[in-house]
């Protein structure tokens, strides 16, 4: 299984960015996590193979996760970005149960998102 993340960059507060994660070898659920120095990775959003979604409260209404099963790609559209969204973002391969998303130890390379005020 390989996960290849792309996107990210520098944007002003209120702007938008789009992250993509291409998964080869699996059509499992995918999650996007983010991490800032000194903190644990936190789940930002996740999507099941069937399209069920889950969001962190801090991004609800601003971020949208979607997937293209034909291309095995998951995207994270991030709108109305805030300086506190600044972090390294990682995509993760996991599995989905009725209680939500559970990560496995498959990670894509992190991509930096920086939101300036």
């Amino acid at each position: 299984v390989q996960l290849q993340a792309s996107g990210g960059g520098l944007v002003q507060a209120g702007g938008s960015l789009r992250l993509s994660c291409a998964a080869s070898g699996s059509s499992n659920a995918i999650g996007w996590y983010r991490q800032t120095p000194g903190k644990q990775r936190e789940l930002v959003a996740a999507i099941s193979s069937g399209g069920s979604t889950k969001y962190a409260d801090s991004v609800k209404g601003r971020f949208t996760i979607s997937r293209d099963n034909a291309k095995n790609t998951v995207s994270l559209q991030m709108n109305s970005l805030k300086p506190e969204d600044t972090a390294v973002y990682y995509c993760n391969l996991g599995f989905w149960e009725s209680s939500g998303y559970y990560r496995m130890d498959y990670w894509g390379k992190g991509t930096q998102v920086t939101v300036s005020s």
Side-chain angles (χ1 to χ4, degrees):
V1 174
Q2 286 189 332
L3 301 173
Q4 186 151 7
S6 60
L10 173 64
V11 65
Q12 287 189 331
S16 298
L17 284 173
R18 187 177 183 89
L19 306 181
S20 292
C21 179
S24 61
S26 178
S27 58
N28 274 25
I30 296 284
W32 279 101
Y33 284 75
R34 65 188 180 188
Q35 187 172 27
T36 53
K39 293 189 176 181
Q40 290 188 333
R41 288 182 190 183
E42 62 168 350
L43 180 65
V44 175
I47 187 166
S48 71
S49 56
S52 297
T53 58
K54 176 185 175 67
Y55 295 93
D57 287 344
S58 60
V59 306
K60 280 180 182 176
R62 300 188 298 122
F63 291 12
T64 302
I65 191 169
S66 60
R67 71 186 299 154
D68 182 336
N69 286 331
K71 296 181 180 178
N72 228 13
T73 300
V74 171
S75 297
L76 183 68
Q77 178 66 40
M78 305 185 293
N79 298 329
S80 302
L81 282 161
K82 303 175 181 179
E84 51 263 45
D85 295 317
T86 295
V88 178
Y89 284 70
Y90 300 87
C91 63
N92 172 263
L93 184 74
F95 60 94
W96 194 276
E97 293 186 354
S98 57
S99 51
Y101 178 81
Y102 293 87
R103 72 188 194 191
M104 296 191 290
D105 199 21
Y106 297 100
W107 296 93
K109 185 178 177 182
T111 184
Q112 177 71 45
V113 170
T114 303
V115 184
S116 63
S117 56

